Amino acid sequence: MLKLERAKEHFHEFIADLDRYRKSDPWQFSVALEDPLRRGTGSDLVLRLKAHTPIPRRLAVVVGDLVHNLRSALDCAIVELASRGEGPAGRPPTESEERAFQFPITEEKADFEDWIDHRKLRLFLSPDVVRAIEIVQPWYKTQELARWDGRPDDTALVRGIVLLSYLRRLQKLNNTDKHRQISMMLLGPDSVGGSPDKREFPHGLEGIEWLGVPRREIVEISELELPEGFEWPDPNDEEDEEYDFFFSGDEIVDGAEIGRYICADPARAMEQIDVYATLRVVLVEPGLTGVYRGAPPVERMLAELIDNIANILNLLDSRIDNPSDATRARQPGKP
């Protein structure tokens, strides 16, 4: 699984580059009183992105290399399994036949069947391997989830789950990287604070098995001290209607609103305060980003993508590392 290990190396390289970008103070913010949102009286404390340093293009290049290695890892697994000669053909493929091999990623069952037959994978892969590849396909998993949710005929639900499939997302990102550079954008914020010297850059990678990062309790904290007359909303107080906070869910560009607090005391003048927000860097994913508002941080998405592909490879791993007795008998020089 050298390709998988190379993808992991690219991930750590990406995290280091992303941290350097974040710690370079790439975002400048403004805080001002503006007309209230959804209310006829009072003033809102509004946070805006005043200016920013563009996301380095190198980050997109590293992501492209990571995605390419994950896709190659799946293809290499198919070639390795076919070389065992365990399929109905009873022999390994020729070099010409092998060139057509690729791990199928399909959104419909009919497309999967066509792929398997057209590329002759069914001839050179054992039935259990073909079945293993089938059950990880986006369309198969969505059918299972829709049945579990009690809505097997809900086409909108099924299509939505297909869009979110990590295999499909890998395919789309890999195709994008072939023809143009993968792009990223800013959403946010992940956090808001008033002390840049104390800010942290949490990657939100808790629970990712291959990284060995344990899950932890999420504790919400804020270091921003608001001037008198402004209040932080209490998210646990459902009866508290005196003030509230609104996050922007759109892409953050220069001048865009990040979020706003409703002033509890509309007669109180705002004092000068500094603010720092940790914006979220996200991937622009074809056919997905424009459909759903919001997106996970790019580092979380990439870590989970690697985790998903690693699980698929692990499903096939015993077939790669432990060929059957019949296969060993067909391989000269193997005990």
Side-chain angles (χ1 to χ4, degrees):
M1 297 188 184
L2 294 178
K3 293 288 187 178
L4 176 63
E5 295 307 312
R6 184 62 180 140
K8 293 178 180 179
E9 291 174 7
H10 283 307
F11 176 82
H12 292 294
E13 180 184 357
F14 175 83
I15 289 295
D17 287 342
L18 182 61
D19 275 350
R20 277 191 289 271
Y21 170 64
R22 284 171 167 161
K23 292 176 180 178
S24 68
D25 289 327
W27 309 307
Q28 293 80 51
F29 304 96
S30 65
V31 183
L33 284 175
E34 297 186 12
D35 292 336
L37 180 69
R38 301 178 183 175
R39 298 194 180 190
T41 60
S43 298
D44 296 350
L45 181 67
V46 179
L47 283 60
R48 291 186 180 277
L49 179 63
K50 185 177 180 181
H52 79 288
T53 302
I55 300 169
R57 297 183 64 181
R58 170 179 163 77
L59 289 176
V61 173
V62 177
V63 170
D65 290 341
L66 184 157
V67 166
H68 173 72
N69 275 276
L70 288 180
R71 187 65 178 94
S72 296
L74 293 173
D75 295 339
C76 289
I78 292 293
V79 171
E80 175 64 24
L81 287 166
S83 70
R84 300 294 187 186
E86 295 183 325
R91 62 172 177 83
T94 64
E95 184 176 343
S96 175
E97 291 167 331
E98 189 179 280
R99 279 198 292 268
F101 290 174
Q102 194 177 30
F103 188 96
I105 300 178
T106 57
E107 298 183 24
E108 301 286 344
K109 180 177 176 61
D111 294 336
F112 175 78
E113 297 294 339
D114 288 345
W115 184 298
I116 291 291
D117 292 335
H118 179 70
R119 294 175 183 264
K120 300 182 179 180
L121 293 180
R122 205 183 300 276
L123 282 175
F124 296 101
L125 297 175
S126 65
D128 60 322
V129 169
V130 173
R131 177 59 177 167
I133 297 171
E134 179 181 22
I135 65 176
V136 301
Q137 293 299 304
W139 58 266
Y140 186 93
K141 298 183 75 174
T142 57
Q143 289 179 359
E144 292 295 309
L145 287 170
R147 281 195 291 268
W148 175 83
D149 196 54
R151 293 185 285 170
D153 299 322
D154 189 333
T155 56
L157 172 67
V158 171
R159 181 57 185 165
I161 301 174
V162 166
L163 289 176
L164 294 170
S165 161
Y166 278 107
L167 263 184
R168 177 196 173 277
R169 293 161 77 180
L170 172 65
Q171 180 82 331
K172 295 297 183 182
L173 286 170
N174 188 57
N175 289 342
T176 297
D177 188 62
K178 289 179 181 178
H179 305 290
R180 59 186 182 276
Q181 194 173 67
I182 290 173
S183 59
M184 284 172 270
M185 67 182 187
L186 296 174
L187 292 179
D190 278 336
S191 63
V192 176
S195 177
D197 292 336
K198 296 181 180 180
R199 65 181 181 273
E200 296 180 356
F201 300 95
H203 296 121
L205 301 178
E206 295 81 8
I208 301 295
E209 184 175 350
W210 71 269
L211 279 171
V213 181
R215 296 189 182 276
R216 68 180 182 186
E217 182 180 357
I218 298 176
V219 180
E220 295 184 2
I221 60 173
S222 176
E223 299 169 349
L224 177 59
E225 294 183 3
L226 291 173
E228 185 178 350
F230 291 85
E231 303 282 353
W232 292 109
D234 182 356
N236 299 315
D237 188 354
E238 296 181 356
E239 299 180 358
D240 183 7
E241 298 179 352
E242 185 179 8
Y243 42 79
D244 203 353
F245 181 75
F246 297 89
F247 277 117
S248 171
D250 299 322
E251 179 181 4
I252 303 297
V253 296
D254 288 355
E257 179 179 316
I258 295 172
R260 63 173 63 204
Y261 282 91
I262 302 297
C263 181
D265 181 3
R268 182 72 185 181
M270 187 187 75
E271 301 173 13
Q272 180 64 39
I273 64 172
D274 295 322
V275 65
Y276 191 92
T278 301
L279 300 182
R280 197 183 330 157
V281 179
V282 304
L283 280 176
V284 177
E285 299 187 56
L288 185 61
T289 305
V291 176
Y292 297 98
R293 294 191 66 182
V298 57
E299 57 269 36
R300 178 79 196 188
M301 186 275 175
L302 292 176
E304 291 184 345
L305 182 62
I306 293 173
D307 201 46
N308 189 272
I309 301 307
N311 288 337
I312 293 174
L313 293 173
N314 286 335
L315 184 65
L316 305 174
D317 186 49
S318 61
R319 304 300 301 171
I320 296 174
D321 292 338
N322 301 293
S324 67
D325 291 339
T327 302
R328 290 193 185 95
R330 288 195 293 268
Q331 294 175 335
K334 295 282 181 84

